[in-house]
Amino acid sequence: FVAIDTNGAYFTIKFGDGRDTNQTTDSVIPHTYTFAGNFHPIMIMYDSNQCKLTLDNPLDIVYVDEVVPNFLPKDTIICNTGTVSFRDSSTSSYPFKSWDWKFGDGWTDNVQNPSHAYTDTAKNNVVLTVTSAFDCVFKDSHYVTVYRPPTVVFSLSDSAICVPDSVLFSDN
């Protein structure tokens, strides 16, 4: 908030979130909103004669967004290669402007709920960056690990038998 040419006046600002300034003559008044909402600030000025002027413009609204980024991959461990679906469950007071997915293997996407095919074994750090309508940017990340499946080679002692004969399976 900026007060221009106060001519020695002091003032109080009601920020609309339940907090007010103390009386001040500072021309620049910082204020941090700590929760989301629509806030209507009001400035009350007093001159040296204690005459009061209330500046209350109904169009002066401060819109504060609170974004909580969140997503979960359908699978966090896959064997060999495969496709993983991701579900964005981020919340915001206002609509989201964009989603930016980095899948940890060099591939990206910009849809809300993508699927991605992993083709190499690796521990992939998947990062979702969401941007709100007010350009608030927040990130969340999870790992998707792709393992190489075990190699199994086995042999049969016989592939044609009669009941009640047995077949031996041997790991080679």
PDB file of all heavy atoms in Angstrom, residues 41-53:
ATOM      1  N   PRO A  41      -9.446  -3.525   1.670  1.00  0.00           N
ATOM      2  CA  PRO A  41      -8.731  -2.631   2.583  1.00  0.00           C
ATOM      3  C   PRO A  41      -9.382  -1.245   2.642  1.00  0.00           C
ATOM      4  O   PRO A  41      -9.955  -0.771   1.659  1.00  0.00           O
ATOM      5  CB  PRO A  41      -7.336  -2.549   1.969  1.00  0.00           C
ATOM      6  CG  PRO A  41      -7.541  -2.818   0.523  1.00  0.00           C
ATOM      7  CD  PRO A  41      -8.725  -3.737   0.423  1.00  0.00           C
ATOM      8  N   ILE A  42      -9.290  -0.640   3.805  1.00  0.00           N
ATOM      9  CA  ILE A  42      -9.827   0.708   4.031  1.00  0.00           C
ATOM     10  C   ILE A  42      -8.734   1.529   4.703  1.00  0.00           C
ATOM     11  O   ILE A  42      -8.084   1.068   5.644  1.00  0.00           O
ATOM     12  CB  ILE A  42     -11.081   0.661   4.931  1.00  0.00           C
ATOM     13  CG1 ILE A  42     -12.188  -0.141   4.250  1.00  0.00           C
ATOM     14  CG2 ILE A  42     -11.554   2.070   5.276  1.00  0.00           C
ATOM     15  CD1 ILE A  42     -13.365  -0.433   5.154  1.00  0.00           C
ATOM     16  N   MET A  43      -8.528   2.766   4.216  1.00  0.00           N
ATOM     17  CA  MET A  43      -7.550   3.661   4.814  1.00  0.00           C
ATOM     18  C   MET A  43      -8.290   4.788   5.525  1.00  0.00           C
ATOM     19  O   MET A  43      -9.213   5.389   4.968  1.00  0.00           O
ATOM     20  CB  MET A  43      -6.623   4.254   3.757  1.00  0.00           C
ATOM     21  CG  MET A  43      -5.605   5.235   4.338  1.00  0.00           C
ATOM     22  SD  MET A  43      -4.586   6.003   3.078  1.00  0.00           S
ATOM     23  CE  MET A  43      -3.381   4.746   2.841  1.00  0.00           C
ATOM     24  N   ILE A  44      -7.883   5.044   6.758  1.00  0.00           N
ATOM     25  CA  ILE A  44      -8.457   6.150   7.533  1.00  0.00           C
ATOM     26  C   ILE A  44      -7.327   7.130   7.802  1.00  0.00           C
ATOM     27  O   ILE A  44      -6.327   6.780   8.444  1.00  0.00           O
ATOM     28  CB  ILE A  44      -9.077   5.647   8.852  1.00  0.00           C
ATOM     29  CG1 ILE A  44     -10.129   4.583   8.544  1.00  0.00           C
ATOM     30  CG2 ILE A  44      -9.665   6.812   9.640  1.00  0.00           C
ATOM     31  CD1 ILE A  44     -10.578   3.809   9.752  1.00  0.00           C
ATOM     32  N   MET A  45      -7.469   8.358   7.267  1.00  0.00           N
ATOM     33  CA  MET A  45      -6.433   9.386   7.412  1.00  0.00           C
ATOM     34  C   MET A  45      -6.898  10.456   8.387  1.00  0.00           C
ATOM     35  O   MET A  45      -8.076  10.797   8.444  1.00  0.00           O
ATOM     36  CB  MET A  45      -6.131  10.034   6.064  1.00  0.00           C
ATOM     37  CG  MET A  45      -5.569   9.077   5.043  1.00  0.00           C
ATOM     38  SD  MET A  45      -5.064   9.932   3.550  1.00  0.00           S
ATOM     39  CE  MET A  45      -3.538  10.644   4.109  1.00  0.00           C
ATOM     40  N   TYR A  46      -5.934  10.994   9.143  1.00  0.00           N
ATOM     41  CA  TYR A  46      -6.179  12.096  10.072  1.00  0.00           C
ATOM     42  C   TYR A  46      -5.166  13.187   9.758  1.00  0.00           C
ATOM     43  O   TYR A  46      -3.976  12.918   9.635  1.00  0.00           O
ATOM     44  CB  TYR A  46      -5.987  11.647  11.517  1.00  0.00           C
ATOM     45  CG  TYR A  46      -6.901  10.517  11.936  1.00  0.00           C
ATOM     46  CD1 TYR A  46      -6.517   9.188  11.744  1.00  0.00           C
ATOM     47  CD2 TYR A  46      -8.131  10.780  12.514  1.00  0.00           C
ATOM     48  CE1 TYR A  46      -7.350   8.151  12.129  1.00  0.00           C
ATOM     49  CE2 TYR A  46      -8.973   9.737  12.900  1.00  0.00           C
ATOM     50  CZ  TYR A  46      -8.577   8.430  12.706  1.00  0.00           C
ATOM     51  OH  TYR A  46      -9.400   7.409  13.079  1.00  0.00           O
ATOM     52  N   ASP A  47      -5.646  14.430   9.660  1.00  0.00           N
ATOM     53  CA  ASP A  47      -4.694  15.513   9.461  1.00  0.00           C
ATOM     54  C   ASP A  47      -4.262  16.061  10.813  1.00  0.00           C
ATOM     55  O   ASP A  47      -4.664  15.539  11.861  1.00  0.00           O
ATOM     56  CB  ASP A  47      -5.266  16.593   8.535  1.00  0.00           C
ATOM     57  CG  ASP A  47      -6.432  17.357   9.126  1.00  0.00           C
ATOM     58  OD1 ASP A  47      -6.706  17.214  10.340  1.00  0.00           O
ATOM     59  OD2 ASP A  47      -7.087  18.094   8.368  1.00  0.00           O
ATOM     60  N   SER A  48      -3.471  17.116  10.792  1.00  0.00           N
ATOM     61  CA  SER A  48      -2.942  17.669  12.042  1.00  0.00           C
ATOM     62  C   SER A  48      -4.039  18.254  12.923  1.00  0.00           C
ATOM     63  O   SER A  48      -3.843  18.467  14.113  1.00  0.00           O
ATOM     64  CB  SER A  48      -1.872  18.713  11.740  1.00  0.00           C
ATOM     65  OG  SER A  48      -2.434  19.741  10.936  1.00  0.00           O
ATOM     66  N   ASN A  49      -5.206  18.534  12.377  1.00  0.00           N
ATOM     67  CA  ASN A  49      -6.339  19.056  13.149  1.00  0.00           C
ATOM     68  C   ASN A  49      -7.265  17.937  13.620  1.00  0.00           C
ATOM     69  O   ASN A  49      -8.356  18.202  14.118  1.00  0.00           O
ATOM     70  CB  ASN A  49      -7.136  20.057  12.310  1.00  0.00           C
ATOM     71  CG  ASN A  49      -6.309  21.252  11.935  1.00  0.00           C
ATOM     72  OD1 ASN A  49      -5.596  21.809  12.773  1.00  0.00           O
ATOM     73  ND2 ASN A  49      -6.375  21.643  10.674  1.00  0.00           N
ATOM     74  N   GLN A  50      -6.835  16.703  13.411  1.00  0.00           N
ATOM     75  CA  GLN A  50      -7.619  15.515  13.765  1.00  0.00           C
ATOM     76  C   GLN A  50      -8.885  15.359  12.915  1.00  0.00           C
ATOM     77  O   GLN A  50      -9.832  14.689  13.320  1.00  0.00           O
ATOM     78  CB  GLN A  50      -7.989  15.511  15.257  1.00  0.00           C
ATOM     79  CG  GLN A  50      -6.795  15.394  16.181  1.00  0.00           C
ATOM     80  CD  GLN A  50      -6.023  14.100  15.924  1.00  0.00           C
ATOM     81  OE1 GLN A  50      -6.591  13.028  15.899  1.00  0.00           O
ATOM     82  NE2 GLN A  50      -4.726  14.225  15.715  1.00  0.00           N
ATOM     83  N   CYS A  51      -8.886  16.002  11.756  1.00  0.00           N
ATOM     84  CA  CYS A  51      -9.993  15.771  10.823  1.00  0.00           C
ATOM     85  C   CYS A  51      -9.758  14.416  10.174  1.00  0.00           C
ATOM     86  O   CYS A  51      -8.627  14.073   9.812  1.00  0.00           O
ATOM     87  CB  CYS A  51     -10.052  16.865   9.764  1.00  0.00           C
ATOM     88  SG  CYS A  51     -10.497  18.471  10.463  1.00  0.00           S
ATOM     89  N   LYS A  52     -10.834  13.686  10.021  1.00  0.00           N
ATOM     90  CA  LYS A  52     -10.738  12.292   9.567  1.00  0.00           C
ATOM     91  C   LYS A  52     -11.295  12.164   8.150  1.00  0.00           C
ATOM     92  O   LYS A  52     -12.332  12.733   7.826  1.00  0.00           O
ATOM     93  CB  LYS A  52     -11.540  11.421  10.539  1.00  0.00           C
ATOM     94  CG  LYS A  52     -11.656   9.989  10.158  1.00  0.00           C
ATOM     95  CD  LYS A  52     -12.457   9.265  11.261  1.00  0.00           C
ATOM     96  CE  LYS A  52     -13.008   7.965  10.786  1.00  0.00           C
ATOM     97  NZ  LYS A  52     -13.795   7.292  11.808  1.00  0.00           N
ATOM     98  N   LEU A  53     -10.578  11.397   7.331  1.00  0.00           N
ATOM     99  CA  LEU A  53     -11.034  11.080   5.984  1.00  0.00           C
ATOM    100  C   LEU A  53     -10.916   9.572   5.818  1.00  0.00           C
ATOM    101  O   LEU A  53      -9.832   9.006   6.011  1.00  0.00           O
ATOM    102  CB  LEU A  53     -10.178  11.787   4.924  1.00  0.00           C
ATOM    103  CG  LEU A  53     -10.436  11.383   3.469  1.00  0.00           C
ATOM    104  CD1 LEU A  53     -11.847  11.789   3.046  1.00  0.00           C
ATOM    105  CD2 LEU A  53      -9.399  11.987   2.554  1.00  0.00           C
TER     106      LEU A  53
END
